[in-house]
Amino acid sequence: MPVPFRENRSVVALLVLNGMHAGSRFRLPDVPTVLGRSTEAHYQIDDPWVSNMHALFETRDQVLWVVDLDSRNGTYLGASRIREAPVAVGSVLAFGRTEVRVEAVGGSPLATPPHHVSPALLDGIRATVRSDRPEGGRDLESIPMAVLRLALAVNGAPDVAPPLEAIRAAAAAVLREGGRGAPVPGGGLVALFGQHGSAPDDCARALRAAAAIRRHVVALHPGLSVRLSVDHGPVVPTMLQEPDGAELTPAGPTAMRLERVLAEAKTGEILAGPGVPANADDRLEPIGRGAPDLPLRRLRIG
């Protein structure tokens, strides 16, 4: 059944299921709202296969609809590519390679977002220049890099944001090992090692940074849950525009695999994906978890 947008004063949210924004929620107001890669979109998705102005959400007779804005790689409802369609709670939508699930959450409807899209502007949005990414999501130019992912959460309070001091401590540990880190939505950090040229010790430096992050964050904030993953492989460098400047972030299959590795990590664990060589650190030990195509090792600490 389509979503009655205001039934029981519920608010519709999109839960991001994969990619760099996995775990983030975008709560949709009761006005036309654009999702895309451009800084002009209401909600930005840092996925190189998402178009600048990819899709529009709007309500029609109290029902939520999604409208594809002539995106290059399409909008999918389940397995079907759609031009526009009513959306049901529990539906999975795909924009580029990013998947989201539609949820109904409690709370009052949000205020109008900063870039209100009036119906008169909808035709103009549809005519927006398409993404400069290839048709069908073919591989973009990539660079072999080591990638580190940190997830932080306040124990017993998943809706409370981790303290900024913990993110800063993690970023400092990355910098000391020659990497570059950037915060991610939901409380965490992603870091790249080798963005200026691949080196044999990229994975070793990423693992040392992960160990330092775990040590410093746990010491400073014992109430935080810390999980880390490290992997290596071809990475598509993309730019995520933040208010204080552009941040380099990873995209592509290696970045997606890194999220799978992170999902397997328990509190306090540092897991290495299949791209990390066995000689990167002599403390790496195999563990009996993960899918057959995702052999995992844990960094033994203390």
Side-chain angles (χ1 to χ4, degrees):
M1 293 290 292
V3 177
F5 194 78
R6 303 292 277 278
E7 183 180 2
N8 298 325
R9 295 190 61 77
S10 65
V11 176
V12 174
L14 305 178
L15 172 64
V16 184
L17 301 177
N18 61 358
M20 292 300 303
H21 299 281
S24 299
R25 280 182 172 82
F26 298 108
R27 299 180 68 177
L28 295 175
D30 192 11
V31 294
T33 305
V34 175
L35 179 148
R37 192 162 45 85
S38 170
T39 57
E40 298 301 316
H42 301 126
Y43 295 127
Q44 290 177 254
I45 294 291
D46 184 37
D47 175 348
W49 289 273
V50 167
S51 293
N52 292 327
M53 297 287 191
H54 196 104
L56 174 92
F57 290 90
E58 63 180 353
T59 54
R60 303 177 186 175
D61 297 325
Q62 303 296 307
V63 171
L64 180 67
W65 283 66
V66 62
V67 181
D68 182 75
L69 297 176
D70 294 330
S71 65
R72 181 177 293 276
N73 293 316
T75 296
Y76 288 79
L77 177 58
S80 301
R81 185 167 181 167
I82 54 98
R83 292 278 300 172
E84 59 179 41
V87 182
V89 168
S91 296
V92 174
L93 298 162
F95 312 99
R97 292 189 176 181
T98 297
E99 295 183 339
V100 304
R101 184 171 65 238
V102 180
E103 296 185 336
V105 297
S108 299
L110 300 184
T112 300
H115 309 292
H116 177 64
V117 181
S118 68
L121 294 179
L122 181 55
D123 287 341
I125 293 174
R126 289 182 186 277
T128 298
V129 176
R130 295 178 182 223
S131 166
D132 56 358
R133 304 303 182 183
E135 183 73 36
R138 293 191 295 271
D139 287 341
L140 306 175
E141 182 181 356
S142 59
I143 302 170
M145 283 189 276
V147 193
L148 177 152
R149 178 74 162 85
L150 163 69
L152 290 174
V154 178
N155 288 329
D159 295 329
V160 177
L164 289 176
E165 291 83 357
I167 304 293
R168 294 192 185 104
V174 167
L175 284 173
R176 283 193 294 270
E177 293 294 341
R180 180 177 177 185
V184 296
L189 178 125
V190 63
L192 305 177
F193 298 80
Q195 66 266 35
H196 301 302
S198 180
D201 67 341
D202 285 342
C203 289
R205 291 187 293 116
L207 290 168
R208 286 198 300 268
I213 289 170
R214 181 185 180 278
R215 185 169 60 251
H216 295 322
V217 171
V218 169
L220 290 171
H221 303 281
L224 288 181
S225 164
V226 181
R227 298 181 297 117
L228 291 126
S229 61
V230 174
D231 210 343
H232 183 277
V235 171
V236 179
T238 64
M239 300 305 292
L240 176 62
Q241 190 67 36
E242 299 287 358
D244 57 351
E247 291 286 1
L248 185 65
T249 60
T254 300
M256 303 286 278
R257 188 175 67 194
L258 184 73
E259 297 294 332
R260 292 179 61 201
V261 176
L262 182 69
E264 295 288 342
K266 298 178 181 178
T267 298
E269 283 189 329
I270 302 170
L271 295 188
V276 177
N279 62 358
D281 194 299
D282 59 11
R283 296 172 296 174
L284 288 174
E285 56 186 12
I287 61 172
R289 301 202 307 271
D293 66 332
L294 194 71
L296 300 174
R297 286 153 295 159
R298 176 173 48 215
L299 188 67
R300 189 173 60 255
I301 302 292

